[in-house]
Amino acid sequence: IALRFKGKSGAKSGKQGGASKKELTKAQLTKKLAGLKRSIKDTAQTTAEYSAAIAERQAQINAMTSDLEGATAKYGELEEKLNDLQVSINTQLYEKQRQAEAHAKRQRMLRRYQALEQGKRKPVAESEMPLIERQLAEANADKGKVKDLISAMREKFDHLDEVLGRVLQLAEDE
C-alpha cells in the first residue's frame, strides 16, 4: 500500500531501502578532505598572489599620482612665469611704442622750430592769436571728454583696465 503512488522507480528504491544512497568510506572521506584542503591551500596562495599584485599596482598608481601632482604643480608655476613674462614684454613693447611716438612728436616740433628759424615758415600773426587760443581751448576740452570716456570705460569694463589705462596714458601724453 505504501508503494501505491510512487511509480516504478520509487517502488524499486523502496525495496532496496537506504542502500541506493552511496555512502563514502573513511578512506574516501579522508581522500576527499585532503583534496579540499589542497584546493583551499591553492586558492589561498592564488589569493595572496593577486593581493600582492594589487598592492604593487596600487603603489605604482600612488607613485604615478605623486609624479603627476608634481608635474602639474611645476606646469602651473611655468604657466604663471609665462604670464608674468608676457605682461612684462607687453609693457615694454607698449613703453617702446609710446617713447617712439613721443620722440617722433618732438622731432616734428623741432623741424617746425628750425623752419621758423630759417624763415621757411611764417610765424603766427598777433591777429590770429585769439583764433588759435580758442582752437586750443576746444582741443583741450575735447581731450578732457576723451579722458572722461576712457575712465568711464575702465570702470565699466574691468577686464580692459590695463589696456584702457595705457590708452589713457597716451591721451595724457602731450
Side-chain angles (χ1 to χ4, degrees):
I1 296 179
L3 302 176
R4 184 175 182 187
F5 297 106
K6 289 201 175 204
K8 288 184 177 180
S9 62
K12 288 181 182 177
S13 65
K15 291 178 183 175
Q16 293 174 352
S20 71
K21 290 185 181 179
K22 189 175 182 184
E23 291 187 18
L24 299 175
T25 63
K26 188 173 183 179
Q28 291 173 329
L29 284 175
T30 306
K31 195 177 196 182
K32 195 169 191 176
L33 181 62
L36 289 173
K37 283 182 180 181
R38 192 176 331 108
S39 175
I40 290 173
K41 183 180 175 184
D42 292 344
T43 304
Q45 183 179 356
T46 305
T47 303
E49 291 171 1
Y50 284 139
S51 294
I54 290 170
E56 182 180 336
R57 292 285 187 211
Q58 190 66 37
Q60 289 175 349
I61 289 171
N62 289 340
M64 289 191 313
T65 302
S66 295
D67 291 346
L68 180 62
E69 287 173 355
T72 302
K74 186 171 184 171
Y75 177 77
E77 291 170 6
L78 290 174
E79 281 275 327
E80 190 174 315
K81 187 176 181 181
L82 173 70
N83 289 337
D84 292 344
L85 289 173
Q86 191 64 49
V87 167
S88 176
I89 289 169
N90 289 344
T91 302
Q92 290 173 5
L93 287 173
Y94 163 75
E95 190 60 30
K96 176 184 172 187
Q97 181 66 32
R98 194 173 74 79
Q99 291 297 330
E101 289 176 11
H103 180 69
K105 185 177 179 181
R106 286 188 214 107
Q107 290 289 36
R108 285 191 304 271
M109 192 65 112
L110 176 64
R111 283 193 294 272
R112 283 189 213 133
Y113 288 143
Q114 288 172 342
L116 274 173
E117 184 179 64
Q118 295 170 356
K120 295 179 182 176
R121 187 177 182 135
K122 292 189 313 184
V124 177
E126 286 292 325
S127 61
E128 295 177 357
M129 285 300 251
L131 174 66
I132 292 173
E133 287 178 358
R134 189 181 79 236
Q135 288 175 342
L136 178 62
E138 288 174 2
N140 283 334
D142 288 345
K143 184 178 176 181
K145 290 177 186 176
V146 168
K147 286 180 182 180
D148 292 342
L149 177 65
I150 292 170
S151 296
M153 288 177 65
R154 280 181 81 184
E155 290 175 11
K156 188 172 183 177
F157 302 105
D158 290 337
H159 63 283
L160 297 174
D161 184 55
E162 183 180 341
V163 174
L164 292 173
R166 291 177 182 167
V167 171
L168 185 61
Q169 189 176 8
L170 283 175
E172 290 174 355
D173 286 348
E174 292 189 45

